[in-house]
Amino acid sequence: MYVGTLSFDLLLGDVRSLKEKRSVVRPIIAELQRKYPVSVAEVGDQNIHRRALIGLATVSGDAGHVSDVLDRCERLVAARPEVELLSVRRRFHGDED
């Protein structure tokens, strides 16, 4: 079994309230869940209106599949024009961990 995780640190564009923040973050989370076999949630910076920390995880019996899914998810988030991707933290856990 292989587990891959990503943590996205995002800077949101012209957001002035937590309600506006939700209107930016929720569609990103929904699109990731719809397109890929992943679990996604906002995992930090919930009370800061211009920042978001999104966590993502996927599990597979094939290490290549996990890596491919993580790559695609990272490209999707990086391509969103309404956010600036400040950093991505990737973790990979295999059978020997």
Side-chain angles (χ1 to χ4, degrees):
M1 174 176 72
Y2 300 94
V3 179
T5 63
L6 293 174
S7 297
F8 299 105
D9 185 8
L10 304 175
L11 178 63
L12 308 181
D14 190 24
V15 173
R16 293 191 173 91
S17 70
L18 293 176
K19 186 175 181 178
E20 287 180 9
K21 175 184 179 176
R22 284 192 305 272
S23 72
V24 173
V25 172
R26 282 185 179 166
I28 295 170
I29 291 172
E31 185 175 6
L32 286 165
Q33 290 173 329
R34 187 178 70 249
K35 288 188 171 186
Y36 305 109
V38 296
S39 294
V40 188
E42 184 178 1
V43 296
D45 295 336
Q46 283 98 341
N47 294 324
I48 303 171
H49 66 272
R50 291 208 58 225
R51 296 288 294 270
L53 185 61
I54 296 176
L56 176 147
T58 189
V59 178
S60 178
D62 178 22
H65 178 70
V66 170
S67 183
D68 184 50
V69 169
L70 295 179
D71 289 343
R72 290 175 188 225
C73 290
E74 186 174 343
R75 283 193 299 269
L76 184 145
V77 173
R80 299 292 295 228
E82 68 273 20
V83 299
E84 180 182 342
L85 184 57
L86 297 176
S87 68
V88 179
R89 184 172 187 182
R90 180 182 291 230
R91 293 188 181 131
F92 192 84
H93 307 279
D95 287 332
E96 298 166 7
D97 291 342

